[in-house]
Amino acid sequence: MALDRAFTELLLVSFDPYPGLHEEYFLPTSGKDKKTGSVFIVVRNFDACHEDELIRITMDIKREHQIHFDIALSVVHVFKEPVFAIRVHMEDYGRLHELISLYRKAGVNFQSNRKVNPTLSLIKIRRFFDLENIEDGIYKD
């Protein structure tokens, strides 16, 4: 995934979200096979207490705009310091600027961009599912 424009917000990108997963099965991966796992937009002045507010904002954005995306509140440990972030998965990352703008208009404050060197980080993701019962014992998110 290439982000085509410069961002004023701090974005962290995960290129190997499950290290060691394919090595167990001896499946070689080349650099071109690696895909972006997730994009994390670092938020400022945010904590888990505001999670319900973020969910409501997300539901409003999905209802009012034709942007296909999924988010989850996350904590990323950058050089052993925990920072709150919004993990984003999108069909079209070209619309990421628009999505950030919509969250900003709703009152979410993002951390300003700065240089962060590549590093191994612990990432905690809090994910919610909207389950639909398809048939007995089978559910769809």
Side-chain angles (χ1 to χ4, degrees):
M1 177 207 61
L3 299 174
D4 57 346
R5 300 188 297 183
F7 285 82
T8 59
E9 300 79 19
L10 178 58
L11 302 181
L12 303 173
V13 181
S14 169
F15 289 104
D16 193 11
Y18 307 105
L21 176 67
H22 296 293
E23 286 111 16
E24 180 180 344
Y25 302 106
F26 304 106
L27 298 174
T29 58
S30 66
K32 69 177 184 175
D33 292 336
K34 287 190 177 184
K35 296 181 181 177
T36 300
S38 299
V39 173
F40 297 85
I41 311 166
V42 178
V43 293
R44 189 175 38 197
N45 302 328
F46 200 85
D47 58 38
C49 298
H50 297 102
E51 191 170 52
D52 58 335
E53 182 181 341
L54 182 66
I55 292 169
R56 280 193 286 280
I57 291 169
T58 301
M59 290 171 63
D60 290 343
I61 291 172
K62 285 186 173 194
R63 184 174 37 255
E64 297 171 12
H65 302 277
Q66 296 298 318
I67 302 175
H68 299 285
F69 69 98
D70 184 36
I71 65 110
L73 185 62
S74 309
V75 177
V76 181
H77 291 264
V78 180
F79 303 110
K80 298 184 183 179
E81 292 294 322
V83 294
F84 281 94
I86 298 173
R87 184 198 66 180
V88 179
H89 281 291
M90 298 183 77
E91 292 178 6
D92 179 10
Y93 282 99
R95 298 189 73 186
L96 187 57
H97 272 286
E98 181 182 356
L99 183 63
I100 291 171
S101 174
L102 293 169
Y103 275 101
R104 183 173 276 122
K105 285 179 187 174
V108 178
N109 295 314
F110 296 103
Q111 183 68 41
S112 298
N113 193 4
R114 64 182 171 93
K115 183 169 175 58
V116 177
N117 292 323
T119 183
L120 289 176
S121 298
L122 176 65
I123 301 171
K124 296 179 183 177
I125 298 172
R126 217 165 132 85
R127 176 86 165 94
F128 293 92
F129 296 93
D130 183 17
L131 297 177
E132 175 186 342
N133 190 353
I134 304 235
E135 58 182 75
D136 191 33
I138 299 177
Y139 299 90
K140 175 185 173 187
D141 172 26

